[in-house]
Amino acid sequence: MSRAELRYDGRVAIVTGAGSGLGRDYALNLAKRGASVVVNDLGVDTRGRQAAEGSESSAQAVVREIESAGGKAVACHESCATRAGGAAIVQAALDAFGRVDILIHNAGFLRNGPFESLTDEQIHSIMDVHLLAAFYVGQPAFAAMKQNGYGRILLTSSASAFFGMPWQTNYAAAKLGLAGLVNALSLEGQAHGINVNALLPTGSGRLGKGDSDMDWPDGLMASVPAGMELIAPQMRNEFVTPMVMWLVNERSKTTHGYYSATAGRFSRIFIGAARGWLSDAMNPPMPEDIEEHMAEIDDISRYDIPLKVFDEFEPIVAAQRALLEGKGD
Ligand SMILES: NC(=O)c1ccc[n+]([C@@H]2O[C@H](COP(=O)([O-])OP(=O)(O)OC[C@H]3O[C@@H](n4cnc5c(N)ncnc54)[C@H](O)[C@@H]3O)[C@@H](O)[C@H]2O)c1
């Protein structure tokens, strides 16, 4: 079967943190398939400290690579973690290419540490670069997309946020905050042709290598499952980028989703509400009733996936109706 190539001709993409790692791979691949790309990178190390760069910045090096392959790109060295920087990044796209179609917010770094000793600096810098940057770049980008009635926004979340990782409370909170942003913004984007999703990648960028320079609790690796050598070869950017390319393509209608691209396994991650336990309609329960029914409350063998606040009411209404009609189970 011949498959129509996914193309990005005429599309303008902004990729934050595109000077290295995963972001670089997205920028190169988008440009290869026709997109004009704003390669945004501040050039910092894995803890967010200014990295020593040579005569050419990492963003300029990516632009040079794209241009020498015949593609179109501009470098932008503003920080996506400030309001002014975010505005400047979007303005760079408008100045160079006249529109914004795709935003991939990917920039970031880590400031791990035990919860009780995280400093304000460790907390705020992580919130700024992962979560607030999605507002700083996202708001002007969304406004520009709205004008064209088209947009694809992909925010980079993390398995650490959805599933948990010690010494990353700052990072996990920021990254899961992006899921909330996806939930609300995807609804706002619907009327304007703007799709909004999040990605949980496992790649070969600097933040995925279990950097020995990074702070981790002792014994963390003891809980890694056996057989990791079977999937280690797929833990690289080439096994992440295809998912990203699909989600930001015109043919993809997917919105309001979180997708994991991990070691060659591509999978939707979802938030569900267990069917739970329905209390007596006339008598508010006692705390002891909650204790008594915890097994039902915790039972995730039956669940719904609400995609907006009102969706959560539907199964409750149905269960209440069934009870009233004497058909409850
Ligand atoms: N690599 C993984 O396995 C993995 C796993 C889960 C999540 N992630 C997330 O994916 C993204 C990319 O990870 P990576 O491993 O490729 O990282 P990386 O360190 O290789 O690249 C991140 C880039 O972001 C840039 N950056 C940092 N702060 C910036 C700022 N304020 N403005 C502009 N650019 C800035 C850095 O200079 C760097 O080039 C991150 O958001 C990370 O949290 C990665």
Side-chain angles (χ1 to χ4, degrees), residues 101-282:
D101 300 291
I102 296 167
L103 168 63
I104 302 174
H105 173 41
N106 155 86
F109 51 83
L110 301 174
R111 297 298 309 275
N112 296 350
F115 178 61
E116 69 279 13
S117 60
L118 287 179
T119 63
D120 276 354
E121 199 281 326
Q122 278 172 298
I123 297 167
H124 288 284
S125 64
I126 289 295
M127 291 295 160
D128 286 347
V129 77
H130 293 286
L131 180 57
L132 296 183
F135 290 86
Y136 298 148
V137 190
Q139 288 179 294
F142 189 81
M145 290 172 181
K146 246 169 117 169
Q147 284 180 2
N148 302 323
Y150 179 84
R152 297 285 181 266
I153 296 178
L154 185 64
L155 305 175
T156 310
S157 188
S158 170
S160 292
F162 275 87
F163 311 133
M165 182 65 105
W167 287 24
Q168 289 202 321
T169 50
N170 51 354
Y171 179 72
K175 288 296 204 191
L176 204 60
L178 292 174
L181 208 166
V182 164
N183 294 343
L185 189 59
S186 57
L187 298 178
E188 291 185 37
Q190 253 166 15
H192 307 286
I194 303 172
N195 294 351
V196 188
N197 295 288
L199 176 79
L200 289 68
T202 301
S204 41
R206 298 179 304 179
L207 304 187
K209 285 189 196 148
D211 196 325
S212 54
D213 182 38
M214 200 56 65
D215 302 314
W216 297 107
D218 289 341
L220 179 68
M221 299 314 276
S223 57
V224 171
M228 284 299 285
E229 66 283 1
L230 293 177
I231 61 171
Q234 297 89 340
M235 301 252 226
R236 54 195 163 91
N237 299 343
E238 292 88 327
F239 284 89
V240 174
T241 301
M243 185 88 235
V244 170
M245 297 290 283
W246 165 247
L247 288 171
V248 301
N249 190 267
E250 198 174 325
R251 292 218 298 265
S252 168
K253 303 301 170 224
T254 297
T255 190
H256 205 152
Y258 330 120
Y259 290 89
S260 158
T262 295
R265 199 281 304 265
F266 301 91
S267 162
R268 181 171 183 158
I269 307 300
F270 54 89
I271 295 175
R275 283 289 163 92
W277 168 66
L278 196 64
S279 61
D280 185 293
M282 295 307 147

Side-chain angles (χ1 to χ4, degrees), residues 2 7-8 25 34 46 78 81 87 108 127 138 146 168 186 194 197 210 243 285 321 323:
S2 77
R7 297 286 311 175
Y8 305 84
D25 212 50
T46 53
E78 300 283 343
M127 291 295 160
K146 246 169 117 169
Q168 289 202 321
S186 57
I194 303 172
N197 295 288
M243 185 88 235
R321 181 171 291 129
L323 258 190

